[in-house]
Amino acid sequence: MDDADLLIAFLLNSLLVAATVVIHHESLNGLFRLGQKLSLKRNLAVLTGVFGALLAHIVEIWLFALGYFFMVHSEHFETLTGNFDGSLIDCAYFSFTTYTSLGFGDIEPMGHLRFTAGLEALTGLMMITWTASFMFLKMQRFWQS
């Protein structure tokens, strides 16, 4: 891998992380605005927040999955090894386990994909923490005694 490959990896990783943060911000912001506009009972408001946040996480995970799929089929990156057949669904599985830091270890990244996997784990941790803070504030608002 040469300097051009490193630059491509840096740009693609930056794009994946930036898009994830923007998607998450807009999702939580949209859920907040929805909560202000609608007069929902507390249980429905909390459930709306939970399902909305889950949907945002799923979209973000699939974004990384598409990134992995592109990378493993590109000449600029190495591949994922182990129990991996090159399919989009295997990329999504790897992305789900990486984003959530579950990391079963049956699929392993090679080359620049190791950096992508590390960034996805860090990004997933931040997005999950952000969601936890959002849900805490939402539940605190609706479940005050």
Side-chain angles (χ1 to χ4, degrees):
M1 301 215 177
D2 60 13
D3 289 341
D5 292 340
L6 184 61
L7 179 62
I8 292 168
F10 175 78
L11 292 173
L12 186 54
N13 287 328
S14 298
L15 179 66
L16 287 170
V17 171
T20 298
V21 170
V22 169
I23 289 168
H24 209 75
H25 175 269
E26 291 304 310
S27 297
L28 294 182
N29 193 36
L31 288 168
F32 175 75
R33 285 186 311 225
L34 181 65
Q36 285 185 322
K37 286 182 182 178
L38 300 178
S39 178
L40 301 175
K41 295 187 190 255
R42 72 176 183 183
N43 289 342
L44 189 55
V46 171
L47 287 173
T48 301
V50 168
F51 285 116
L54 278 172
L55 182 61
H57 287 295
I58 290 168
V59 168
E60 294 154 14
I61 289 166
W62 273 98
L63 177 67
F64 269 96
L66 290 170
Y68 288 123
F69 188 75
F70 169 78
M71 288 185 259
V72 300
H73 292 91
S74 167
E75 62 195 40
H76 300 287
F77 301 92
E78 290 193 37
T79 191
L80 298 170
T81 61
N83 190 18
F84 178 71
D85 66 7
S87 67
L88 180 58
I89 199 68
D90 274 2
C91 290
Y93 165 77
F94 179 72
S95 184
F96 269 92
T97 61
T98 303
Y99 183 96
T100 61
S101 298
L102 184 60
F104 287 125
D106 56 337
I107 298 176
E108 182 181 348
M110 304 301 292
H112 291 311
L113 291 179
R114 293 179 298 178
F115 186 67
T116 305
L119 276 176
E120 183 182 15
L122 179 60
T123 303
L125 174 66
M126 293 299 298
M127 299 305 102
I128 291 168
T129 304
W130 192 357
T131 299
S133 297
F134 174 80
M135 291 308 303
F136 173 77
L137 293 172
K138 188 174 225 23
M139 290 190 321
Q140 188 178 39
R141 177 177 169 224
F142 285 106
W143 287 354
Q144 290 178 348
S145 354

